[in-house]
């Protein structure tokens, strides 16, 4: 059993390291093929590193390239993650940010187009997919991700307002540096980036599940063997067509767990009826896998 666990751990480490490499390549493509040629600023610390590069090039005797700026900006957050989140998480975050910085420097810009709309959209898609893939494999790309995890653990709240304010600052800076049309293009790129992250990273999306079944105990046991979810039972429901007695089960899962839910239902009651809708908001405790 211990040998199997060691093999699984090694597989997870290799998967995370491979994802870090892929993210580094994708963010460098977004930066060097789209954002830089189109004068587009990204969101978060990547966008801040671009801004520092622009300002240092124009107003200071030394130029701080985005690759160096990105890594330097993250150093205080590496320390925060090491103390507040976990050592393994911090190690892979450092690896991811280092590889991103290295790839941005190593892969030279290719000016496919200077059209700011194309650059905003395709840069956002490429970077968003890379970020979502990283989050899906439980590694962080640094920056405000770390702050968000720490604040959510301490207070249960998100840092949505901080994220919005930070990105408004980046967009405003793009307007002052390149002209206000480019601020709007950067805003489009940030929105596309967020949508691409949501497309790739489904763990944070919550789904409300209603199951009508004749075999509630079997279904509950099967679901809970696949995922750590609480389930509420509504007794004595009645079918309107043939008036048979039914039980209704209610639970909430992440979109990431959809395949596990489908597998659990297929195993326990293939004739069960399930209605699944997106949950707009959740109050109260919802179990989330802890990062190490």
């Amino acid at each position: 059993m211990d040998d199997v666990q060691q093999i699984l751990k090694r597989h997870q480490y290799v998967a995370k390291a491979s994802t870090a490499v892929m993210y580094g390549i994708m963010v460098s493509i977004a930066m060097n093929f789209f954002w830089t040629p189109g004068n587009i600023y990204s969101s978060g610390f990547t966008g801040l590193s671009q801004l520092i590069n622009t300002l240092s090039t124009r107003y200071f005797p030394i130029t701080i390239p985005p690759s160096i700026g990105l890594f330097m900006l993250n150093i205080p957050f590496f320390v925060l993650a090491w103390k507040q989140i976990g050592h393994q998480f911090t190690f892979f975050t450092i690896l991811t940010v280092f590889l991103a910085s290295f790839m941005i420097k190593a892969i030279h810009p290719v000016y496919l187009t200077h059209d700011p709309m194309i650059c905003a959209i395709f840069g956002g898609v490429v970077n968003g997919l890379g970020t979502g893939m990283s989050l899906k494999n439980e590694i962080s790309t640094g920056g405000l991700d770390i702050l968000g995890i720490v604040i959510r653990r301490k207070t249960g709240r998100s840092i949505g307002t901080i994220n919005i304010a930070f990105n408004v600052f980046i967009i405003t800076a793009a307007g002052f540096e390149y002209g206000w049309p480019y601020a709007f293009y950067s805003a489009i790129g940030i929105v596309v980036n967020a949508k691409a992250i949501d497309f790739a990273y489904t763990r944070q999306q919550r789904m409300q599940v209603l199951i009508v079944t004749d075999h509630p105990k079997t279904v509950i046991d099967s679901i809970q063997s696949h995922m750590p979810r609480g389930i509420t039972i509504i007794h004595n429901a009645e079918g309107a067509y043939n008036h048979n007695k039914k039980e209704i089960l209610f639970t909430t899962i992440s979109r990431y767990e959809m395949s596990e839910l489908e597998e659990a239902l297929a195993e326990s009651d293939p004739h069960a009826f399930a209605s699944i809708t997106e949950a707009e908001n959740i109050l109260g405790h919802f179990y989330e896998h802890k990062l190490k």
Side-chain angles (χ1 to χ4, degrees):
M1 191 65 178
D2 290 340
D3 292 338
V4 173
Q5 290 179 342
Q6 288 297 323
I7 292 171
L8 289 175
K9 278 188 177 181
R10 283 198 293 268
H11 175 74
Q12 290 174 351
Y13 293 159
V14 170
K16 289 183 178 183
S18 302
T19 302
V21 173
M22 285 301 301
Y23 171 74
I25 294 172
M26 293 178 81
V27 71
S28 67
I29 290 173
M31 176 77 75
N32 295 329
F33 289 28
F34 298 107
W35 291 332
T36 299
N39 294 328
I40 303 299
Y41 282 165
S42 176
S43 61
F45 276 20
T46 307
L48 184 58
S49 71
Q50 290 177 277
L51 176 60
I52 291 171
N53 173 249
T54 302
L55 295 176
S56 64
T57 301
R58 294 186 180 183
Y59 305 113
F60 297 103
I62 61 169
T63 298
I64 303 174
S67 55
I68 300 298
L70 179 62
F71 192 83
M72 296 298 292
L73 287 168
N74 274 284
I75 289 176
F77 291 88
F78 295 154
V79 176
L80 179 65
W82 185 270
K83 291 181 177 180
Q84 297 291 333
I85 300 177
H87 296 174
Q88 184 188 127
F89 173 86
T90 306
F91 170 78
F92 281 106
T93 300
I94 294 172
L95 177 64
T96 302
V97 176
F98 171 78
L99 288 171
S101 301
F102 176 78
M103 294 293 184
I104 290 171
K105 182 68 175 176
I107 298 178
H108 297 290
V110 176
Y111 291 69
L112 300 174
T113 177
H114 293 277
D115 186 305
M117 180 63 78
I118 294 175
C119 291
I121 292 173
F122 280 88
V125 168
V126 172
N127 183 74
L129 291 176
T131 303
M133 181 177 63
S134 299
L135 294 172
K136 189 174 182 178
N137 283 276
E138 298 186 354
I139 61 175
S140 167
T141 57
L144 296 180
D145 291 349
I146 294 171
L147 186 62
I149 292 170
V150 172
I151 290 177
R152 190 168 68 244
R153 282 190 176 184
K154 296 291 185 181
T155 67
R157 298 180 179 179
S158 69
I159 60 166
T161 303
I162 297 175
N163 270 308
I164 291 170
F166 195 90
N167 288 330
V168 167
F169 169 72
I170 297 295
I171 291 167
T172 304
F176 278 112
E177 290 302 320
Y178 296 122
W180 292 107
Y182 286 93
F184 297 124
Y185 290 130
S186 294
I188 291 171
I190 289 172
V191 171
V192 171
N193 181 75
K195 294 297 183 182
I197 291 173
D198 286 341
F199 177 80
Y201 178 53
T202 56
R203 193 181 296 274
Q204 86 284 12
Q205 299 173 28
R206 309 293 182 237
M207 308 302 294
Q208 179 179 288
V209 182
L210 287 174
I211 303 168
V212 181
T213 178
D214 294 321
H215 310 286
K217 186 178 185 310
T218 306
V219 172
I220 290 170
D221 290 343
S222 182
I223 291 174
Q224 292 184 332
S225 69
H226 283 77
M227 62 190 83
R229 294 288 165 227
I231 299 172
T232 299
I233 307 173
I234 302 174
H235 294 288
N236 301 321
E238 182 179 330
Y241 179 70
N242 53 21
H243 301 285
N244 289 338
K245 295 298 180 183
K246 303 281 186 178
E247 307 293 332
I248 298 176
L249 309 179
F250 172 81
T251 188
T252 303
I253 65 172
S254 68
R255 187 180 290 275
Y256 183 76
E257 296 169 318
M258 280 286 294
S259 59
E260 293 177 86
L261 176 68
E262 292 172 0
E263 184 178 339
L265 288 177
E267 289 175 357
S268 57
D269 185 4
H271 301 292
F273 175 84
S275 173
I276 303 170
T277 57
E278 188 168 343
E280 187 69 25
N281 197 12
I282 292 178
L283 302 177
H285 177 70
F286 181 84
Y287 173 82
E288 293 186 79
H289 176 70
K290 299 297 184 183
L291 300 172
K292 299 178 180 180

